[in-house]
Amino acid sequence: MMYTLIGMSLLFIAIGFIVTENNSKYLLAGYNTMNDEEKKKVDLKTYITYFRKFHVFLGFSFFVIGMLVTYFIDENVTSIFIAVYPILAYTYFITTSAKYFRTKKNKIGAYILAVVLIFIVVMFIRDYKETKLILNSDSIEFQGNYGEIIPFSTIKSIQLVQEKPKIIKRTNGFSAGTIKKGYYKTDKGEVVKLILNAENKPYILIIKSDGKKIYYAAKEESNEKLFEKIKTIPAK
């Protein structure tokens, strides 16, 4: 997580110095599509100064706040911060820079960013919510996003394992810090389903009759206690 924060922080700061008055006609979005009359109405020098100060501040604040969130809260919240903070910052930037850069595109950009932000927040709330393991008389049910109902008749084995396989790629799912939900490819080429609400060990490993594997970890409840509950279900 630290490397992500450092990399993105340096990127934001670099952007602030890449765009200058001399290359703005090529690199500055919106300005580079204006005609000569429209460009004369833009206070370009003041705008570029504000552009640079904003990106330097964004870079430093992104790193500092991100590290504080990581160490004093947790990595899952840091993942949300990484996605949401830049959008909030750029929405603010577009709105406050309108006095230097008055175009309809500028205002439309702010609206688009606001809509994207709302979408991301809604998606994070949905995926961040714990996927519960529910025991029914004839099945195991995962309630929540990426959930499913697995009849006991289709389960080959259920066991506790201390380690999950080495993941090299997420094929379809959601990851935020220690939270991982969806389908992931292992270093052995196998695709497994992870429903990890937290990095709690041991994991519950369910192997279906067709060989498909599901690794589960609860957020609040002990995985060992859940496993013991599963063992009390009479075989059909």
Side-chain angles (χ1 to χ4, degrees):
M1 193 63 71
M2 180 185 292
Y3 294 115
T4 300
L5 291 171
I6 292 174
M8 292 184 67
S9 297
L10 292 176
L11 175 62
F12 290 137
I13 293 172
I15 290 173
F17 289 92
I18 288 174
V19 179
T20 65
E21 286 187 68
N22 294 330
N23 63 27
S24 59
K25 60 182 178 180
Y26 305 109
L27 300 181
L28 189 57
Y31 183 80
N32 56 8
T33 59
M34 291 180 177
N35 57 43
D36 291 338
E37 288 300 315
E38 290 174 327
K39 288 179 180 178
K40 290 178 182 178
K41 297 177 182 179
V42 177
D43 186 357
L44 185 60
K45 184 176 182 179
T46 307
Y47 176 81
I48 291 295
T49 300
Y50 180 63
F51 180 89
R52 181 169 296 124
K53 288 180 178 178
F54 166 80
H55 281 88
V56 170
F57 175 79
L58 175 60
F60 280 108
S61 63
F62 182 83
F63 177 75
V64 172
I65 298 174
M67 291 300 294
L68 290 174
V69 171
T70 300
Y71 282 100
F72 290 102
I73 306 179
D74 63 42
E75 289 189 356
N76 298 328
V77 179
T78 305
S79 298
I80 298 174
F81 168 79
I82 288 174
V84 172
Y85 184 68
I87 296 176
L88 280 175
Y90 277 112
T91 300
Y92 171 81
F93 171 72
I94 291 175
T95 302
T96 55
S97 64
K99 56 185 177 182
Y100 311 117
F101 205 81
R102 294 184 178 278
T103 66
K104 290 183 179 180
K105 291 182 180 179
N106 189 270
K107 294 179 181 179
I108 291 172
Y111 295 144
I112 292 174
L113 282 176
V115 171
V116 171
L117 174 62
I118 293 171
F119 175 77
I120 289 176
V121 170
V122 170
M123 292 294 289
F124 262 104
I125 291 174
R126 184 198 67 173
D127 293 333
Y128 196 81
K129 186 177 180 181
E130 182 174 7
T131 300
K132 298 279 189 178
L133 187 155
I134 306 297
L135 288 176
N136 301 316
S137 60
D138 59 350
S139 66
I140 292 178
E141 180 179 356
F142 293 109
Q143 288 186 344
N145 204 24
Y146 299 102
E148 63 176 294
I149 297 176
I150 311 172
F152 283 118
S153 59
T154 65
I155 296 176
K156 180 180 179 180
S157 67
I158 304 175
Q159 56 188 289
L160 288 175
V161 294
Q162 290 295 330
E163 299 295 334
K164 62 180 182 291
K166 184 178 180 181
I167 302 299
I168 61 172
K169 181 181 180 181
R170 181 181 66 207
T171 59
N172 179 22
F174 167 80
S175 296
T178 59
I179 299 175
K180 292 178 175 59
K181 299 179 182 180
Y183 296 91
Y184 296 77
K185 189 175 183 179
T186 71
D187 58 342
K188 296 180 179 179
E190 183 182 23
V191 175
V192 299
K193 186 173 185 178
L194 303 182
I195 306 179
L196 306 181
N197 296 289
E199 195 60 40
N200 291 332
K201 297 181 181 181
Y203 308 108
I204 296 175
L205 169 59
I206 299 174
I207 303 178
K208 298 182 182 181
S209 301
D210 59 6
K212 294 181 180 179
K213 298 177 181 178
I214 300 175
Y215 290 82
Y216 179 82
K219 182 178 181 181
E220 302 294 339
E221 193 170 0
S222 164
N223 294 326
E224 290 97 329
K225 289 182 179 179
L226 275 174
F227 180 69
E228 290 301 320
K229 290 180 182 179
I230 294 172
K231 288 169 62 178
T232 63
I233 303 295
K236 299 293 183 179

